[in-house]
Amino acid sequence: MLFQYHNGPLLTGKISVNLIWYGKFKPSQRAIISDFIISLSSSPSSQPSVATWWKTTDKYYHLASSKNKLSSLSFGLGNQILDENYSLGKSLTQTQIVQLASKGDQKNTVNVVLTASDVAVDGFCASRCGTHGSARGAMINGESHKFTYVWVGNSETQCPGQCAWPLHQPIYGSQSQPLVAPNGDVGLDGMVINLASLLAGTATNPFGNGFYQGPDTAPLEAASACPGVYGKGAYPGYAGELLVDGTTGASYNAQGANGRKYLLPALYDPATSSCSTLV
């Protein structure tokens, strides 16, 4: 499988990742996600690391730079906005997701909307665990900027077999024992998996005309091209060989900031035309 570059812009320079929390999340749950964002650019003290995982996206920039001069991308944790009172209710449309995303700054940012486990979103569980896209932002200094956004839902009570596998038994196929979640929270650790996948897609295909394979209505992107692959030897229903925490028994493949461990999806490596895993 070869990824095509459709000559569109990629995200470049220093980009802030703003987190918009919709519904009720404990501070300890929010820390799992914010530490993951910090880990994308922090200097790893031990390997395999989240930062090393993210470096695979650099290879897309090297390919694109041969056509357009691009600076590399650096993600940092931006602002966090709490909407604990469900200002738009507990059943959201895609339009409302974009409305929530627009609450964050709109220049040099990715605005991430994270919906709590009791919030229904159009298409959630039925066809998707999250999404990424772009929208026209407010006028800044007389210019209208497009901003990028990501939405990920907490699937813990609605569809963990679909959106938190392999940390929960799958909804179909072989019913092997689920893996122990690295941060002890199936819903939030599942959100990290989907957020990681969608951030990789946002970096390499932010406006729908970057790197992808297949039709633009259902593109295969950096992570979605490698479904269900987390370690070497993965096959459908088996996540692959992973590291195991000796104390908690949790499975992981990346270490991050503040002593965190995470389970992250394989990324498609355009240099080798294969799915690249950390372990």
Side-chain angles (χ1 to χ4, degrees):
M1 176 171 61
L2 285 173
F3 262 51
Q4 289 178 301
Y5 179 40
H6 297 79
N7 297 317
L10 306 185
L11 297 185
T12 59
K14 289 189 174 180
I15 300 286
S16 294
V17 179
N18 299 317
L19 303 178
I20 298 146
W21 299 93
Y22 189 82
K24 291 191 166 51
F25 291 88
K26 298 174 192 163
S28 59
Q29 292 180 311
R30 295 199 297 268
I32 293 170
I33 301 282
S34 59
D35 282 348
F36 169 66
I37 301 299
I38 292 167
S39 302
L40 291 170
S41 57
S42 61
S43 299
S45 54
S46 47
Q47 295 289 353
S49 71
V50 174
T52 302
W53 171 82
W54 183 250
K55 278 204 179 311
T56 296
T57 62
D58 284 350
K59 298 182 181 183
Y60 290 85
Y61 284 74
H62 295 154
L63 286 174
S65 285
S66 61
K67 298 190 176 187
N68 308 307
K69 287 291 173 211
L70 292 176
S71 61
S72 59
L73 167 66
S74 172
F75 273 154
L77 181 63
N79 299 320
Q80 299 195 54
I81 298 169
L82 306 186
D83 185 340
E84 296 185 296
N85 296 319
Y86 305 90
S87 63
L88 299 177
K90 291 190 176 182
S91 183
L92 303 178
T93 64
Q94 180 61 32
T95 301
Q96 288 172 314
I97 291 293
V98 176
Q99 188 180 335
L100 289 170
S102 67
K103 290 186 174 190
D105 295 336
Q106 295 176 5
K107 193 172 181 189
N108 298 325
T109 62
V110 177
N111 290 335
V112 178
V113 177
L114 301 141
T115 50
S117 58
D118 57 350
V119 176
V121 178
D122 276 0
F124 188 35
C125 298
S127 59
R128 57 187 185 162
C129 303
T131 193
H132 80 87
S134 62
R136 185 68 65 187
M139 298 291 280
I140 302 172
N141 297 330
E143 285 184 61
S144 175
H145 291 268
K146 264 187 166 180
F147 70 93
T148 55
Y149 68 87
V150 171
W151 158 68
V152 177
N154 183 347
S155 68
E156 185 173 20
T157 57
Q158 297 183 53
C159 55
Q162 183 173 338
C163 294
W165 184 87
L167 306 175
H168 188 279
Q169 285 186 312
I171 48 174
Y172 53 82
S174 67
Q175 294 296 309
S176 53
Q177 276 296 105
L179 304 178
V180 177
N183 294 286
D185 189 317
V186 169
L188 268 292
D189 279 307
M191 290 180 89
V192 169
I193 291 172
N194 293 304
L195 176 58
S197 172
L198 291 162
L199 282 175
T202 299
T204 56
N205 188 30
F207 304 109
N209 54 5
F211 283 96
Y212 66 87
Q213 186 66 348
D216 58 7
T217 50
L220 286 177
E221 297 178 326
S224 58
C226 302
V229 179
Y230 296 89
K232 285 188 177 59
Y235 55 81
Y238 173 59
E241 297 172 25
L242 299 169
L243 302 172
V244 177
D245 185 295
T247 306
T248 64
S251 293
Y252 68 98
N253 59 8
Q255 299 180 79
N258 297 320
R260 292 281 184 193
K261 294 181 170 71
Y262 293 106
L263 184 63
L264 303 178
L267 293 179
Y268 183 81
D269 184 336
T272 61
S273 298
S274 63
C275 293
S276 169
T277 60
L278 284 171
V279 295

